[in-house]
Amino acid sequence: MDDRMRTFRFSPHWTEILKPRVLIPAGAGVCVNAFLLLRGRFGKAEILMISVFLSVSLWTLLSAESRRRRTIIEIRGEALTCLSPSCEKTLKRQGIDRVEIHGTSVGRILGGVRLRIYSDASSGAWLSVSVSRKRVNEMIGHMIPLGEETGKTVPGRHSAAIYAVTSERTTLLLLASAFFTLSARDSIALNAAGAFLSAAAVMNLLAAFARFRRLSLSRRSRGFIISSGFWGMKRIYLPENAVAGAVIRRSPAAVLCGFGALWMLTSGGALIPCACRVNDGEGVHSAMKLIGAENGYSAKLSDIDAIRKKYASSIIPAVFGVFLSAYFALGAESVPSRFFACLVGAFLTSTAVRGLVGFRCADSFGLNVSPSAIFAGGMKGCSAEYYIFRRGCLAGVRIRSSLFERMNRLCCAIPFTSGGRRGVKCSCVLYGAVNGFTARFCG
């Protein structure tokens, strides 16, 4: 650390050379050598092949090590610079969206962790590099100093398991599996489809449980630290100025049970999980408190009655179609007919579930404004989503309207953050109100 120049430099850890593109030639060489050993004879062609693989493996390893030694990451003042043999790039510290640390058991034994730096201008990582596990906290402290811990949120017991069981994908896969299994009879194809969907639901359940197993949030004076992963090996460092809002997600099963999941929205459009389970009465209050906004009066810009009628009108035909598909799936003799009926029934079931969830949550949908935040609620897939944006963090609003909506002076508004990657469709927004809203709150 140079005190006069205020410069902090570090290089990638030696585990940076352990990448697939570097290890593939060595792995191919090992496989070829093992095959030749099993054959029990070596000729000139075999010796030449082994020599080629060994030479290519040695060359790729030496090239990777040379590149690693000549790569320097430098933090000087308000800029972060990466110098490598192939390129040089610079990122302002104010433009850092978040910093992530990914660790594995093997990587920790070898002393390295994966450091990923994201900017608010793109969805991909600005820099992904392996660094020393002992120095990673010092590096992050120079990039985004978050200050002292002021609070901590610890997950409740079995919250990750409950979230995994009630997730949207698990619910829809199990409903589709039930359709195929009940109408399968002695058909191997339909039984296989039902078993495949059930296995996919179980795999999704296990993946969600492993991802949110040790989810916890540490509140700092100038940002947040979120830990997750089965062994808590993933940490996300989020500066205060990169927080654009919060998101509450409620899957169909979560709506039935009366809770939802809380996520944090960054200025670059990334969603960071914060809590797997928050009650209906505490969800908005927790989200507002998390982003530092006041939970006060909201001016509604949407026609709630029109939203309720929209979802109610989609329930009856979808439910009728589900019963009709079930009748054909159970009564048809040919396997292709039953398979097609099951596909249609699964699709109509998801449509009916979407309509029921939308009708149940219609009172809190639409576009609303409070003195310190902007509320946007709607359906995304079969789940209800509520976006709470900080004032001044909206990049724009997409406005769409069909012929019938124009006749009723309504439209559909989709507010979004930087890059237009995140937002929810707010239906039945008053067309006259949305013009004043965009002129006042966007940009």
Side-chain angles (χ1 to χ4, degrees), residues 159-274:
S159 60
I162 294 174
Y163 175 83
V165 172
T166 59
S167 67
E168 175 188 350
R169 191 172 299 174
T170 301
T171 302
L172 295 180
L173 287 173
L174 290 176
L175 290 175
S177 175
F179 238 103
F180 280 92
T181 303
L182 293 176
S183 60
R185 284 184 275 181
D186 56 348
S187 173
I188 298 177
L190 293 179
N191 280 308
F196 175 78
L197 291 170
S198 298
V202 173
M203 292 299 295
N204 177 76
L205 189 151
L206 295 176
F209 176 75
R211 181 183 178 187
F212 300 105
R213 175 66 180 87
R214 295 186 178 274
L215 179 63
S216 63
L217 183 142
S218 174
R219 184 70 167 91
R220 300 300 176 106
S221 57
R222 293 188 295 275
F224 305 87
I225 299 178
I226 299 98
S227 301
S228 62
F230 193 81
W231 303 109
M233 292 183 178
K234 180 179 178 180
R235 281 180 292 170
I236 302 175
Y237 297 80
L238 187 63
E240 181 73 26
N241 63 330
V243 178
V247 178
I248 301 174
R249 282 182 172 176
R250 302 181 65 195
S251 65
V255 171
L256 184 64
C257 298
F259 62 84
L262 180 61
W263 301 66
M264 196 177 299
L265 178 66
T266 68
S267 57
L271 286 177
I272 311 298
C274 297

Side-chain angles (χ1 to χ4, degrees), residues 102-355:
H102 298 259
T104 61
S105 301
V106 176
R108 291 194 174 192
I109 294 174
L110 299 178
V113 293
R114 175 64 54 178
L115 176 69
R116 291 177 182 168
I117 303 172
Y118 293 83
S119 71
D120 57 4
S122 62
S123 58
W126 180 81
L127 178 65
S128 178
V129 65
S130 179
V131 297
S132 173
R133 182 169 63 91
K134 296 181 180 180
R135 298 190 62 197
V136 66
N137 291 329
E138 181 185 4
M139 299 171 188
I140 296 177
H142 283 86
M143 285 186 227
I144 46 172
L146 300 181
E148 300 294 329
E149 184 177 14
T150 58
K152 191 171 184 179
T153 302
V154 180
R157 190 177 183 182
H158 309 308
S159 60
I162 294 174
Y163 175 83
V165 172
T166 59
S167 67
E168 175 188 350
R169 191 172 299 174
T170 301
T171 302
L172 295 180
L173 287 173
L174 290 176
L175 290 175
S177 175
F179 238 103
F180 280 92
T181 303
L182 293 176
S183 60
R185 284 184 275 181
D186 56 348
S187 173
I188 298 177
L190 293 179
N191 280 308
F196 175 78
L197 291 170
S198 298
V202 173
M203 292 299 295
N204 177 76
L205 189 151
L206 295 176
F209 176 75
R211 181 183 178 187
F212 300 105
R213 175 66 180 87
R214 295 186 178 274
L215 179 63
S216 63
L217 183 142
S218 174
R219 184 70 167 91
R220 300 300 176 106
S221 57
R222 293 188 295 275
F224 305 87
I225 299 178
I226 299 98
S227 301
S228 62
F230 193 81
W231 303 109
M233 292 183 178
K234 180 179 178 180
R235 281 180 292 170
I236 302 175
Y237 297 80
L238 187 63
E240 181 73 26
N241 63 330
V243 178
V247 178
I248 301 174
R249 282 182 172 176
R250 302 181 65 195
S251 65
V255 171
L256 184 64
C257 298
F259 62 84
L262 180 61
W263 301 66
M264 196 177 299
L265 178 66
T266 68
S267 57
L271 286 177
I272 311 298
C274 297
C276 294
R277 185 176 58 178
V278 290
N279 297 329
D280 286 348
E282 302 175 357
V284 175
H285 175 72
S286 301
M288 297 287 281
K289 185 178 180 181
L290 184 68
I291 63 176
E294 297 180 1
N295 188 9
Y297 171 80
S298 295
K300 294 184 177 295
L301 306 182
S302 300
D303 189 343
I304 302 300
D305 292 334
I307 297 175
R308 190 181 295 109
K309 291 177 182 178
K310 173 186 175 182
Y311 289 109
S313 62
S314 66
I315 296 175
I316 296 177
V319 173
F320 178 76
V322 169
F323 282 108
L324 197 63
S325 300
Y327 173 78
F328 282 106
L330 294 174
E333 293 297 332
S334 64
V335 175
S337 299
R338 279 185 285 158
F339 187 86
F340 179 75
C342 289
L343 287 177
V344 175
F347 173 77
L348 292 176
T349 300
S350 64
T351 304
V353 169
R354 174 186 170 87

